[in-house]
Amino acid sequence: MTYEELLAKNEQLVKENADLKAEKDEIEKELNELEKEYDDLCDENETMSNDMYHQEEAIANHTTNEDYLKIIEKMTKINHEIGLLTEEFKWIKVPENDN
């Protein structure tokens, strides 16, 4: 190869190298954008998962609280009835056994 041919080949390789570097930079830029989007989606997913967990927990607690309130209401009614019966039985005189 002559000096001119080597010089031309070198210029061609320098141009190809610059084109490949530009392409590499563009790919790295797209990759960084995709990684950021992925991280954002992971964060959003974690936030939604936490929100769903807290909502499920709140629903479970709400249901449990309603059940407790129903039980307390029933117990209050039963205690009230026991109190009424106790008052009623206080007035009943039991005949004494003459034996």
Side-chain angles (χ1 to χ4, degrees):
M1 286 182 111
T2 66
Y3 177 76
E4 288 78 24
E5 290 174 335
L6 288 173
L7 198 56
K9 183 71 171 170
N10 186 45
E11 286 180 23
Q12 178 189 354
L13 291 173
V14 167
K15 184 183 180 315
E16 287 177 17
N17 190 32
D19 291 344
L20 289 173
K21 186 178 180 329
E23 187 177 340
K24 176 185 163 247
D25 291 345
E26 186 63 31
I27 290 171
E28 285 178 345
K29 181 182 173 187
E30 288 179 30
L31 179 62
N32 288 336
E33 289 172 2
L34 288 173
E35 286 175 343
K36 185 184 179 323
E37 185 177 340
Y38 175 78
D39 289 343
D40 291 346
L41 287 172
C42 286
D43 291 345
E44 184 178 345
N45 184 40
E46 185 175 348
T47 301
M48 289 175 67
S49 294
N50 288 339
D51 289 349
M52 284 178 54
Y53 172 78
H54 291 303
Q55 286 175 354
E56 289 171 357
E57 193 175 63
I59 289 169
N61 287 340
H62 179 71
T63 302
T64 303
N65 288 342
E66 283 183 3
D67 291 343
Y68 284 140
L69 291 174
K70 287 177 185 176
I71 290 169
I72 289 170
E73 187 178 326
K74 285 181 184 178
M75 289 176 62
T76 303
K77 286 180 183 177
I78 290 171
N79 284 336
H80 181 70
E81 288 178 20
I82 289 172
L84 291 175
L85 289 173
T86 302
E87 284 298 314
E88 199 172 307
F89 283 121
K90 281 184 184 177
W91 299 104
I92 296 176
K93 300 214 179 213
V94 179
E96 293 194 18
N97 197 352
D98 288 340
N99 291 338

